[in-house]
Every structure is written in C-alpha cells, then in structure tokens.
Amino acid sequence: TRTISGKTRDVTSLREETRSTDTELGSLNNSLTTDQARDRIAEFDKQLERGKEKLVSLKTLCKDIAPEDKIKINKEHQKVVKEWRKRKRLCMDVVNAILENEGCTQSKKELIEEMGIDTDEDMEVSVPLMVLEITLSI
C-alpha cells in the first residue's frame, strides 16, 4: 500500500504540474510572437510619425492666421456665447412664468418636453464658461 499511495501522490503532483504547464502554454499561445511584436511596433511607429506630421501641419496652419483675424474670431465667439446665454435665459424665464401660473400642474421637465424645447443638457452641451482665446503664437 505504501507504493500505491506514493504513486497516487506522484500522479497528483504530475497532474498539477500538467495543469500549470497547460496554463502557461495557453498564455504563450495567446501572446504575440517576436515577429508579430516587431510588426506592431513598426505599425505604431508609422502612426506616431503620421500624427507628428499632422501636428506640424496644423501648427503651420495656425501660424498663417493674421493677429487681426484672431482678434475678430475671439470677438465673434464672445458675441455668439453672449447671445446663447441671453436666449437660454429668456427661454427659461418664459418656462418659469408659465409654471408660476396657478393653473399649471406640470413639472418643469414635463412642460419643457411638451413645448418641444431641447435643453443644453438634453443635447449634452454647455455654454462655454471661458471666452475662446486663440493664442497669437504657437
């Protein structure tokens, strides 16, 4: 019986070793070969180079904008944002005035939905807090 129990322990040990080896083999089979890794690195290097070229071209385009044009763009942006805030405030003032009416039993959200108003939150946008600032030097 000593030899049977010893052999049983040996079999159990070998099974555990086989499981461990199978796990390691599966991991290795799922990983990239050296050649595949080199190909991926080369592909990433090409993407990086294209990104750098695009960045340089965009920076070059920005330098072509005259300072007067940048000022004009900033002023136009400020004007549009100011108008956006004004219209939003006026719209909400009308909604609130309707809600203050004693006959209105709807919630603000229900009323806005019934009126077909798309809120900034519904459209997942927000009024810019800061004024657009196009820098004069890049």
Side-chain angles (χ1 to χ4, degrees):
T1 55
R2 281 185 132 223
T3 58
I4 292 177
S5 64
K7 298 284 182 183
T8 303
R9 276 184 256 134
D10 291 344
V11 168
T12 303
S13 174
L14 287 172
R15 282 185 181 157
E16 289 175 13
E17 187 179 329
T18 303
R19 276 189 223 122
S20 173
T21 305
D22 285 344
T23 302
E24 186 177 349
L25 178 63
S27 174
L28 291 172
N29 283 336
N30 290 332
S31 61
L32 298 175
T33 65
T34 303
D35 290 337
Q36 290 172 330
R38 285 186 183 128
D39 291 344
R40 294 280 304 269
I41 289 171
E43 183 181 321
F44 290 140
D45 286 342
K46 288 178 186 176
Q47 288 177 355
L48 177 63
E49 195 58 39
R50 285 193 301 267
K52 285 180 179 179
E53 289 171 5
K54 185 174 181 179
L55 178 61
V56 168
S57 71
L58 289 173
K59 283 184 176 183
T60 303
L61 287 174
C62 288
K63 288 181 182 177
D64 292 343
I65 298 175
E68 304 83 35
D69 291 339
K70 291 178 184 182
I71 292 169
K72 183 178 175 184
I73 291 168
N74 281 334
K75 285 183 180 180
E76 183 65 23
H77 182 263
Q78 289 174 0
K79 178 180 162 188
V80 169
V81 168
K82 182 178 178 182
E83 188 67 25
W84 182 356
R85 285 189 176 121
K86 177 181 169 187
R87 288 179 183 205
K88 180 178 180 177
R89 186 186 69 249
L90 289 172
C91 181
M92 288 299 112
D93 287 349
V94 169
V95 169
N96 290 331
I98 293 170
L99 287 171
E100 288 174 6
N101 181 353
E102 293 179 24
C104 186
T105 58
Q106 296 174 310
S107 70
K108 187 174 188 175
K109 187 173 184 174
E110 290 171 342
L111 180 60
I112 288 173
E113 188 175 310
E114 181 180 316
M115 293 174 75
I117 298 172
D118 292 326
T119 64
D120 293 343
E121 294 77 21
D122 292 340
M123 304 311 292
E124 297 180 359
V125 296
S126 61
V127 179
L129 299 175
M130 307 261 317
V131 175
L132 176 66
E133 188 81 26
I134 298 177
T135 58
L136 297 177
S137 61
I138 293 181

